Amino acid sequence: MKYNEIIKELTKNIDTSLVNFDSERIHGSMPTQVSSEFLTNKEQGGWAENTLLAGINNNSSKMIAVHYGRNDDINAGDDDFKEFFEEYQKELDTIGKRPDILIFDKADFPYETDDISCFSNDVLDALVPKAKCAIEVRSSAFLIDKYENYMNKKVEAAIDSAMKSRSIILNNYEELLLLKDPALFNIVQSISLDNIHVISFRVPSWRSSKELKDLSDELKKLKSSINEISKRTSLNITPKVEDLKVVYTWIQKYNVPHYYIQVFFDKAYGISFEKILTLIGNPALEGKDYFIESDIKNQGKTTIKINAANESNVLDKIYLPEHYSEMKELNRGRLLYYVKFKDSISIINKEEFEKLLGISLV
């Protein structure tokens, strides 16, 4: 079975309330203004793409990675933005969403460039199907190692606090708790390091005596610590739900294996589009292997979140980029200041990279 046929079969398992791959695409609303935060995020995305592309090309004698996704230096409020936006919407309906990077066998790529984003449609239609794989690059403004170390220490402190509260309750208030609420007593007594992350109970608000108030306060501390332990502490690979449909359209046209790679400021992790569809096609895995959320960090858009640390570590080391400020003057005279990044040196994890993408770099 061809790759695009495999992908088509997987979409049949996905509830249409999440993504309806057979319905007409709903066009996005055209933005009317740009912000400093948007420009910085855009620059960070460009840095992530350049860092990954350089990491591949600096470590491969057999393959070449090239820029393919749209990289137009035009933003909301600029002259001709409306025409650009409408042309982009038309492209999404026609061929889908271009991935940021394509990787070719050098024998199949007769050009002296690493950027084909401005090639004509006729040339691209003949060239793109020869690609070995396609990569959508996502960026994240975290150092994943430092984040994980911080969160692990935070969870360890919460566990210590919870077990301390458990001991205080059982040592000082055992008879009182057993008298007031035997079921809650059994819950507290059952808490262990193995099950503490799944324990749940309602905190009583006893206040009729000092002893009952102190017991309630300690139960509140216990509950607070358990809530901290139960929080999700991972950084994620973050495909947007609205992109799945247009990525699918692109795959159906060009039949090139597609991957997502999330670039942090110290490492990068990747996952196949096939695995993403497999995960969200199994609702039993939601809340365990993936989460679906909307939040401010992703412009309020519905996003699939997959623990990056459980996926392929394709760039084992990324050195922090040099950065500097830039200014953009809008037509009406407003000034926006934002951050630009110089490209970073990275160290590719050859084994993980080749295993994920199914290609040989050398």
Side-chain angles (χ1 to χ4, degrees):
M1 186 180 293
K2 294 194 299 184
Y3 173 73
N4 57 2
E5 293 173 345
I6 294 171
I7 295 300
K8 187 173 184 178
E9 286 299 309
L10 287 173
T11 63
K12 296 177 182 178
N13 298 325
I14 298 170
D15 195 284
T16 55
S17 65
L18 180 62
V19 188
N20 188 338
F21 290 91
D22 296 322
S23 67
E24 184 177 346
R25 187 181 73 88
I26 299 174
H27 287 199
S29 300
M30 184 179 72
T32 58
Q33 61 182 348
V34 69
S35 66
S36 295
E37 182 181 13
F38 174 86
L39 292 174
T40 296
N41 289 339
K42 184 177 180 181
E43 291 294 329
Q44 183 182 318
W47 164 82
E49 183 178 334
N50 291 336
T51 296
L52 178 61
L53 185 137
I56 297 168
N57 288 336
N58 291 339
N59 290 276
S60 180
S61 59
K62 185 178 180 181
M63 299 290 170
I64 180 170
V66 299
H67 295 285
Y68 169 60
R70 280 180 168 267
N71 192 27
D72 307 80
D73 189 20
I74 185 170
N75 299 290
D78 290 347
D79 294 337
D80 301 325
F81 179 77
K82 182 178 180 181
E83 291 77 8
F84 161 79
F85 182 81
E86 290 175 350
E87 180 186 338
Y88 180 56
Q89 295 300 309
K90 182 179 179 181
E91 179 178 277
L92 290 176
D93 288 332
T94 305
I95 70 167
K97 187 178 189 295
R98 295 189 191 187
D100 297 306
I101 292 173
L102 294 178
I103 299 179
F104 291 89
D105 190 308
K106 287 183 177 180
D108 296 327
F109 190 78
Y111 302 99
E112 295 294 327
T113 181
D114 66 358
D115 191 339
I116 63 171
S117 60
C118 293
F119 281 21
S120 70
N121 290 335
D122 289 343
V123 171
L124 289 175
D125 282 346
L127 178 63
V128 169
K130 298 178 182 179
K132 295 297 182 184
C133 56
I135 299 172
E136 180 73 13
V137 180
R138 301 284 290 160
S139 65
S140 181
F142 280 93
L143 295 166
I144 191 168
D145 280 349
K146 190 166 187 176
Y147 178 88
E148 289 184 344
N149 288 336
Y150 172 84
M151 295 307 296
N152 287 339
K153 289 179 181 178
K154 192 173 182 180
V155 170
E156 289 173 4
I159 291 173
D160 288 343
S161 177
M163 297 308 290
K164 180 179 178 181
S165 290
R166 176 188 181 275
S167 295
I168 290 172
I169 292 167
L170 295 179
N171 289 336
N172 298 347
Y173 306 102
E174 179 177 3
E175 292 184 5
L176 183 60
L177 181 57
L178 187 57
L179 176 66
K180 289 291 292 183
D181 193 333
L184 181 54
F185 171 82
N186 290 334
I187 290 173
V188 174
Q189 190 177 50
S190 72
I191 292 174
S192 69
L193 295 177
D194 293 329
N195 67 10
I196 194 168
H197 61 288
V198 297
I199 292 292
S200 179
F201 60 88
R202 186 181 65 83
V203 178
S205 56
W206 297 320
R207 290 292 183 271
S208 58
S209 71
K210 182 179 184 306
E211 191 176 21
L212 279 171
K213 181 180 180 302
D214 291 344
L215 172 56
S216 293
D217 289 344
E218 200 63 49
L219 286 165
K220 186 176 180 180
K221 287 182 186 178
L222 175 60
K223 176 74 170 181
S224 177
S225 297
I226 291 175
N227 287 343
E228 197 66 42
I229 296 164
S230 303
K231 287 181 181 178
R232 192 153 39 90
T233 59
S234 63
L235 290 174
N236 306 292
I237 299 174
T238 56
K240 290 183 288 187
V241 168
E242 69 176 13
D243 285 349
L244 299 182
K245 190 180 181 71
V246 285
V247 169
Y248 170 76
T249 300
W250 186 89
I251 289 172
Q252 292 308 303
K253 180 173 178 62
Y254 293 110
N255 192 35
V256 175
H258 194 288
Y259 302 84
Y260 272 77
I261 291 182
Q262 193 90 18
V263 179
F264 300 90
F265 275 110
D266 55 349
K267 292 184 177 182
Y269 292 81
I271 186 173
S272 70
F273 188 69
E274 182 177 347
K275 183 173 181 180
I276 293 170
L277 295 186
T278 300
L279 287 173
I280 64 175
N282 187 347
L285 298 178
E286 184 177 2
K288 179 183 176 184
D289 291 350
Y290 70 92
F291 298 81
I292 301 176
E293 299 175 349
S294 300
D295 55 35
I296 296 174
K297 290 183 290 184
N298 288 296
Q299 298 84 47
K301 296 180 178 179
T302 304
T303 305
I304 301 162
K305 299 185 177 182
I306 302 164
N307 188 346
N310 291 338
E311 304 305 326
S312 301
N313 177 202
V314 294
L315 291 183
D316 203 34
K317 173 68 178 176
I318 299 173
Y319 292 89
L320 284 175
E322 295 182 36
H323 56 280
Y324 56 96
S325 66
E326 190 69 80
M327 183 193 77
K328 179 179 177 64
E329 182 177 343
L330 304 184
N331 291 339
R332 60 183 179 177
R334 183 186 175 201
L335 301 181
L336 297 179
Y337 291 87
Y338 59 99
V339 179
K340 291 183 74 73
F341 302 89
K342 294 185 178 181
D343 295 348
S344 291
I345 296 173
S346 63
I347 298 174
I348 200 165
N349 185 332
K350 182 175 175 292
E351 181 179 353
E352 285 291 303
F353 190 90
E354 292 181 339
K355 182 179 178 182
L356 173 67
L357 276 66
I359 61 174
S360 176
L361 293 174
V362 294

